[in-house]
Amino acid sequence: MSKFVDDLKKDIEGMEARHEQHKELRHEKHEEKKFARELKHQMKHEEHEKVKQGRKVAHEEKKEERHAKHEEKKFEKELKHQMKHEE
């Protein structure tokens, strides 16, 4: 009977060891998926920031363009006004 009990104990130890290995494997897979998800989120965020920065630059360029156009019109208006006074 002692051999039978010893065999059962060995079987139980083997099953527990396999269970632990499986548990660790599941944990590693979970960590890998979690890392991949976080990386994807970070890349998406960085891409969004690039787009946002691009829009900001475009907006500033357009703003400067409008300002330059306004200054040009203002100069033309002053020039016309000055020419009228000279006549």
Side-chain angles (χ1 to χ4, degrees):
M1 186 91 161
S2 177
K3 182 168 176 17
F4 178 71
V5 172
D6 287 342
D7 287 344
L8 280 178
K9 283 182 180 178
K10 284 181 185 175
D11 287 346
I12 290 172
E13 287 172 2
M15 289 182 353
E16 286 175 343
R18 281 195 302 274
H19 176 71
E20 274 304 309
Q21 282 180 329
H22 183 68
K23 200 163 96 174
E24 287 175 17
L25 184 63
R26 278 195 330 244
H27 180 71
E28 287 174 13
K29 283 185 178 179
H30 172 74
E31 288 299 315
E32 287 174 2
K33 283 184 178 181
K34 186 176 161 185
F35 177 74
R37 193 171 51 242
E38 288 172 358
L39 185 61
K40 184 179 176 185
H41 175 75
Q42 182 181 352
M43 290 171 64
K44 207 172 192 180
H45 177 72
E46 288 172 0
E47 185 63 31
H48 176 72
E49 285 299 315
K50 285 180 188 175
V51 169
K52 197 170 147 183
Q53 196 62 30
R55 281 194 212 126
K56 206 179 237 184
V57 168
H59 176 74
E60 283 300 316
E61 287 174 354
K62 196 166 188 174
K63 188 176 168 183
E64 288 173 11
E65 225 176 82
R66 284 194 313 262
H67 181 71
K69 200 171 185 180
H70 174 73
E71 288 297 315
E72 189 179 316
K73 292 236 184 213
K74 191 175 165 184
F75 178 73
E76 286 175 7
K77 195 174 181 181
E78 287 176 10
L79 193 59
K80 277 184 185 178
H81 183 70
Q82 190 177 14
M83 288 174 67
K84 271 187 180 180
H85 276 294
E86 288 176 1
E87 289 178 1

